Amino acid sequence: MTLTRSTLAALGLVFLAACNSAAPDRAASGPVLPPLDVTQSRQEARQLFGAEDQGSTGTPEAYGGYARGCVAGAEQLAETGPTWQAMRLSRNRNWALPVTLDYVRDLSREVARTTSWNGIYVGDMSQPRGGPMLTGHRSHQSGLDIDIWMRPATNLNLSVTERENLSSISMRRANGAYVNDAWTADHWRVMRAAASDPRVARIFVFPGAKVWMCDNETGDRSYLRNIRPWWGHHYHFHVRLSCPAGMAGCEDQAVPPPGDGCAEAREWVQNILNPPPPDPNAPPPQPRRELTLGDLPRQCAALLSP
């Protein structure tokens, strides 16, 4: 089957719908929260959450979905650890749920133990209280998303200035159909370790990297199901964790389809190399509407500073 441009667009809408559906307004063990007034509900959420520079107090809790949610009680990843460094500190996006911080520490130790890398460079996670960001991501809102740089972390003593100016390295060739000469077996080992953790819901990476792993894996292939092709994601790969047990307000994305997903990735590659013709019946693209506070779960408004 060849994917048309309209089919690809539909896949994108399905992806956003899975990420964006709001969680119930009922707290995990509390009453239904009162509705917002009209003025509150129309406020642009990214401006409100982008202005918060510290996490909220209270029990860590994710509310809503990855692309329509927020996080209470988030903790900040240490700027530097034995096997990681947080990058682009000026963005203040190294906040997440405790389970996410544990995952970063565990993965970085495994990478340092099993590859030539000394650890990992950690890109964007979430804002202090999650929610929509002023720039960049549509997801990363509930404290369960992590960007891991493709640049091997050989130096874990970078200064703050160096972390602002150093760039990651693109791994793609032919618009993402193939990996380039910068790709190594250690990139594969890092992603395999990342995807093999039971806390992981899925990992997004450019199609050529997924196909390379499909073609070269000769052992256990079960982790490949968690690695999904997506646009971009050639300077970093995006780890998405499942909702922790007991967080009633947190909304998971649908699980990946059965199987290793390799046929789907190869189809993406073929559509990069031989783009399908435009669908003359496809509706024109609609401008993206920024989320308002009324689009988020009710608990999110309560997390904002007075």
Side-chain angles (χ1 to χ4, degrees):
M1 179 182 72
T2 299
L3 296 177
T4 64
R5 291 189 183 277
S6 60
T7 304
L8 288 171
L11 285 172
L13 291 175
V14 170
F15 170 76
L16 288 176
C19 292
N20 286 353
S21 52
D25 292 340
R26 189 181 300 275
S29 59
V32 174
L33 299 171
L36 302 173
D37 63 40
V38 174
T39 301
Q40 286 177 308
S41 67
R42 292 178 177 172
Q43 290 180 289
E44 196 173 273
R46 64 176 182 167
Q47 300 293 338
L48 299 171
F49 282 92
E52 299 288 350
D53 61 3
Q54 294 292 320
S56 68
T57 58
T59 302
E61 190 85 20
Y63 295 112
Y66 303 99
R68 195 187 293 262
C70 57
V71 56
E75 298 177 6
Q76 191 173 26
L77 178 70
E79 295 177 1
T80 298
T83 48
W84 77 85
Q85 283 203 289
M87 309 301 283
R88 301 290 191 270
L89 298 175
S90 64
R91 295 180 179 180
N92 199 27
R93 294 177 179 177
N94 57 328
W95 296 77
L97 288 171
V99 65
T100 311
L101 303 191
D102 287 342
Y103 174 87
V104 168
R105 291 187 282 258
D106 293 344
L107 174 63
S108 68
R109 282 194 295 267
E110 180 66 9
V111 167
R113 186 182 71 84
T114 60
T115 76
S116 63
W117 300 15
N118 293 330
I120 57 175
Y121 293 142
V122 182
D124 286 352
M125 298 171 72
S126 293
Q127 298 179 133
R129 304 186 190 196
M133 295 182 178
L134 289 170
T135 59
H137 313 282
R138 286 289 279 178
S139 59
H140 289 254
Q141 294 189 27
S142 56
L144 291 164
D145 291 298
I146 316 134
D147 287 344
I148 307 295
W149 279 23
M150 292 289 197
R151 186 185 190 101
T154 55
N155 180 3
L156 294 177
N157 294 302
L158 297 173
S159 67
V160 171
T161 299
E162 287 171 326
R163 283 184 259 185
E164 291 295 325
N165 296 316
L166 186 69
S167 294
S168 190
I169 301 170
S170 175
M171 296 291 120
R172 75 175 184 179
R173 178 168 61 87
N175 293 320
Y178 307 110
V179 298
N180 61 25
D181 291 342
W183 175 270
T184 69
D186 274 345
H187 286 88
W188 175 24
R189 295 183 183 102
V190 170
M191 292 197 64
R192 182 170 57 190
S196 298
D197 191 296
R199 292 169 288 192
V200 169
R202 59 185 67 207
I203 288 175
F204 302 108
V205 73
F206 69 99
K210 167 76 182 235
V211 170
W212 190 98
M213 288 183 272
C214 290
D215 291 344
N216 286 274
E217 180 57 74
T218 58
D220 180 10
R221 301 177 66 85
S222 59
Y223 71 93
L224 289 168
R225 183 185 181 194
N226 286 340
I227 299 178
R228 315 306 298 185
W230 202 251
W231 291 280
H233 296 90
H234 53 101
Y235 283 95
H236 68 267
F237 62 92
H238 176 168
V239 179
R240 172 165 292 166
L241 303 187
S242 301
C243 289
M247 286 194 182
C250 181
E251 187 166 291
D252 273 312
Q253 188 174 351
V255 299
D260 61 18
C262 291
E264 178 191 11
R266 291 188 179 100
E267 191 170 357
W268 278 67
V269 165
Q270 288 306 310
N271 280 283
I272 292 171
L273 297 174
N274 300 289
D279 182 351
N281 299 315
Q286 298 298 311
R288 188 177 80 179
R289 182 179 70 82
E290 297 296 341
L291 295 176
T292 65
L293 195 55
D295 292 321
L296 304 182
R298 295 289 182 266
Q299 294 93 335
C300 295
L303 296 182
L304 296 169
S305 299

